[in-house]
Amino acid sequence: MIYIGLDISKYKHDCFICNSAGEIIVDNLSFENTKKGFQLFLDLLKPYDNSNVHIGLEATGHYGLNLKLFLVKNNYSFMEFNPLLVKEFKKSLSLRRTKTDKVDAIVICQKLMSVPYKPNSKLFYHKYSIKSLSRLRDTLVKQRSKYMVQLTNILDIVFPEFKPFFNNKFSSTSLFLLNKYGNAEKIANMRDFDTPNKLSKGHFTYAKFAKLKELAKNTIGESNEVFEIELHTLISLFYEIDSKIDSLDKQISTIIKELNPPTLSIPGIGELTTAVIVSEFGDFNKFTNADKLLSFAGLEPGIYQSGTIMSNGKMVKRGSGYLRHSLMNIANLVIKYNPTFYDYYLKKRSEGKCHRVALSHVCKKLLRVIYKLETQNIHFDPSLLK
C-alpha cells in the first residue's frame, strides 16, 4: 500500500510518500497549483495501482478543490482530515514547535496510516456544489435583510406610519407603492388602485387604499430628494438580490431532487434545508456513529471530570457555526410538523430547560434520525421513532 500526505496551500502543494512498511518513496515534493504541477504529481502515481494508493489531506476550503477534482477525474480517492485533529495528532508525536509545509505533509501521511481509510464520496462534486450555492444563498439573504433594515430607517423619517400600516412587513404591495411613489405626498395623491389590489390578490381593499392616503396626508414625516434617492436605491437593490436568491433556490432544488437523499423524507425539512444538511456533512458514512455528527456540528456538551468532580458543560460550539445555526432553525420547523419531536421538545421544557436548550436537544435527536436514514438509505418512518 502507498500512503501520500498532501499539505495544501494556495499556490503550491507539498507531498510526502511512503509505503506500508514505512519506507520513504518521496521525502518531499513541492508542486505548483497549475496544470503542469498536477501532471508532475500524477506522474509519481502512475507506477502504482489506483486501489493501492491512499491519499490524505486537510479540509482547507476552496484551496484544494481543483486538486481534488483532478484526483477524482483520474480515478484516485482521497481522505480529508479536520485540521484541528491533525494539529492535535502532531502534538502527540512531538513537543517541538516546528511547522513547515514538509513537516505538515509528513504528519498528514502518518495520520493517514494510523486510521481506517475512508475515501471521499463519489458524490463529492455535487455536494460541494450544493454547499457553495447554499452558503452563497445565506450570504445574500443576510444582505437582503440589511437592505430592509436600512429601508425601515429611512421610512421612520419620511413616512413613519407606512410600515405599521402593513403590519411591519415589506410585502410585494408595499414595495410596489414605495418604489412607484417614493414619498408620502405622492402616496396621498395616488389614483391607481387596481395595480396594488391585483398584486395583493384582493387583500389591499379600497378601504385600505383610502386609509393609506389619509395617513399620508397627515404624516409627521419629512421628505427630500436625498431620502427619495436612498429609498429607490435600496428597493432596487432588494429586487435585484431577491431575484438572485430565487435563481439560487431553483438551482439548489434541482440538484437536491436529483440526489434525492433520505433526509428529504422527514416532514418539516424541505429541499433547501436538506441541501444544507447533506452538503455540510458530506459523506455520512465517514462518521462511525451519530455522536460524531454532533461533534462535527459543535452540538455536543463539554464534559469536565477530575477526581471526584464531574460536570457537563455547555455546548462546545466547535465545528461549522453555519451548520449549527441552520440545524437550530430546522429543529424549530420540525417540531411543528412531527408529533414525536414536539413531544420530546415539551418533555425537555417540562424539565426546566429554556426554549433554546430544549431546541438543541431536538437537534441532537434529529441528527441521530438523519444518521440512521442516510447510512442505511431508508426513508423516514414516524412509527419507528421512540
Side-chain angles (χ1 to χ4, degrees):
M1 191 66 66
I2 303 300
Y3 295 92
I4 303 173
L6 282 172
D7 182 64
I8 304 295
S9 58
K10 185 172 183 177
Y11 298 111
K12 69 176 182 67
H13 310 302
D14 290 82
C15 77
F16 175 84
I17 306 176
C18 69
N19 60 24
S20 52
E23 298 172 346
I24 298 174
I25 298 173
V26 175
D27 185 32
N28 180 48
L29 171 70
S30 181
F31 61 95
E32 294 181 346
N33 191 28
T34 62
K35 184 176 181 179
K36 183 178 179 180
F38 285 6
Q39 189 59 48
L40 175 64
F41 178 61
L42 185 63
D43 290 339
L44 286 176
L45 305 183
K46 282 183 178 179
Y48 312 106
D49 185 81
N50 296 32
S51 60
N52 290 329
V53 176
H54 288 183
I55 301 174
L57 47 85
E58 289 181 317
T60 53
H62 67 280
Y63 288 133
L65 179 60
N66 289 331
L67 179 59
K68 286 183 269 189
L69 293 175
F70 178 78
L71 291 172
V72 171
K73 184 179 179 181
N74 287 280
N75 300 315
Y76 287 97
S77 64
F78 59 87
M79 181 177 180
E80 286 190 285
F81 295 106
N82 186 317
L84 184 60
L85 292 178
V86 175
K87 182 179 179 181
E88 294 302 319
F89 179 77
K90 182 181 177 181
K91 286 181 180 179
S92 70
L93 299 177
S94 173
L95 295 175
R96 297 180 65 186
R97 295 185 178 181
T98 303
K99 187 187 185 316
T100 66
D101 294 338
K102 177 182 176 179
V103 170
D104 288 347
I106 295 172
V107 171
I108 292 171
C109 187
Q110 291 173 324
K111 175 70 176 175
L112 179 66
M113 296 174 71
S114 68
V115 297
Y117 188 61
K118 296 180 180 179
N120 59 295
S121 167
K122 293 180 180 179
L123 298 174
F124 154 72
Y125 178 73
H126 296 287
K127 291 186 177 180
Y128 187 89
S129 299
I130 300 174
K131 183 177 181 179
S132 297
L133 292 175
S134 296
R135 291 202 170 193
L136 175 59
R137 181 187 184 276
D138 182 66
T139 300
L140 294 181
V141 169
K142 288 178 181 177
Q143 187 59 53
R144 182 178 62 181
S145 298
K146 289 181 181 179
Y147 290 148
M148 292 299 94
V149 171
Q150 290 176 285
L151 186 57
T152 300
N153 293 342
I154 295 173
L155 281 174
D156 287 342
I157 300 172
V158 300
F159 193 177
E161 300 88 354
F162 183 86
K163 195 174 179 183
F165 178 79
F166 287 96
N167 298 319
N168 288 311
K169 296 179 181 178
F170 285 115
S171 63
S172 57
T173 306
S174 63
L175 288 171
F176 166 78
L177 293 172
L178 285 175
N179 194 43
K180 183 175 182 179
Y181 298 105
N183 61 43
E185 184 181 348
K186 292 178 181 178
I187 291 176
N189 296 314
M190 64 180 177
R191 296 182 179 181
D192 180 15
F193 164 68
D194 292 334
T195 304
N197 178 256
K198 289 178 181 178
L199 276 174
S200 67
K201 297 180 180 180
H203 293 291
F204 188 71
T205 62
Y206 189 80
K208 290 183 178 180
F209 176 73
K211 185 176 180 180
L212 180 61
K213 290 178 66 175
E214 186 66 25
L215 285 174
K217 288 178 183 177
N218 298 293
T219 183
I220 60 171
E222 293 288 338
S223 183
N224 59 44
E225 185 179 353
V226 173
F227 290 140
E228 284 191 47
I229 292 173
E230 286 188 55
L231 187 142
H232 284 301
T233 300
L234 288 169
I235 292 176
S236 177
L237 289 170
F238 171 85
Y239 280 138
E240 183 179 357
I241 205 168
D242 195 54
S243 67
K244 296 297 181 184
I245 292 171
D246 286 341
S247 178
L248 286 175
D249 288 350
K250 292 175 182 176
Q251 293 179 53
I252 294 171
S253 295
T254 300
I255 298 174
I256 208 69
K257 283 178 182 176
E258 290 176 358
L259 293 177
N260 193 28
T263 301
L264 193 58
S265 64
I266 302 175
I269 300 184
E271 292 162 4
L272 297 177
T273 49
T274 298
V276 173
I277 294 171
V278 170
S279 64
E280 290 293 325
F281 281 113
D283 184 7
F284 285 87
N285 289 310
K286 70 183 179 183
F287 300 98
T288 54
N289 54 56
D291 288 340
K292 296 293 178 65
L293 290 185
L294 301 181
S295 177
F296 186 84
L299 287 169
E300 63 177 350
I303 298 175
Y304 179 82
Q305 191 275 329
S306 179
T308 58
I309 301 173
M310 178 71 179
S311 66
N312 290 326
K314 297 180 180 179
M315 190 186 297
V316 296
K317 293 188 177 180
R318 280 185 174 175
S320 172
Y322 168 69
L323 174 61
R324 187 165 55 255
H325 173 74
S326 299
L327 285 170
M328 291 292 282
N329 288 335
I330 292 167
N332 210 15
L333 290 172
V334 167
I335 60 176
K336 296 178 181 178
Y337 295 93
N338 192 291
T340 305
F341 283 112
Y342 181 67
D343 291 342
Y344 185 69
Y345 167 79
L346 289 182
K347 177 178 177 293
K348 293 301 175 181
R349 290 286 280 159
S350 67
E351 293 173 0
K353 294 177 172 59
C354 68
H355 169 69
R356 294 288 292 178
V357 174
L359 209 58
S360 71
H361 282 276
V362 174
C363 271
K364 296 170 187 177
K365 186 178 182 69
L366 177 62
L367 281 182
R368 292 188 179 96
V369 172
I370 290 173
Y371 181 77
K372 186 174 182 64
L373 297 182
E374 292 290 342
T375 53
Q376 297 186 13
N377 196 27
I378 57 176
H379 279 209
F380 179 76
D381 184 355
S383 64
L384 299 178
L385 280 178
K386 297 179 180 179

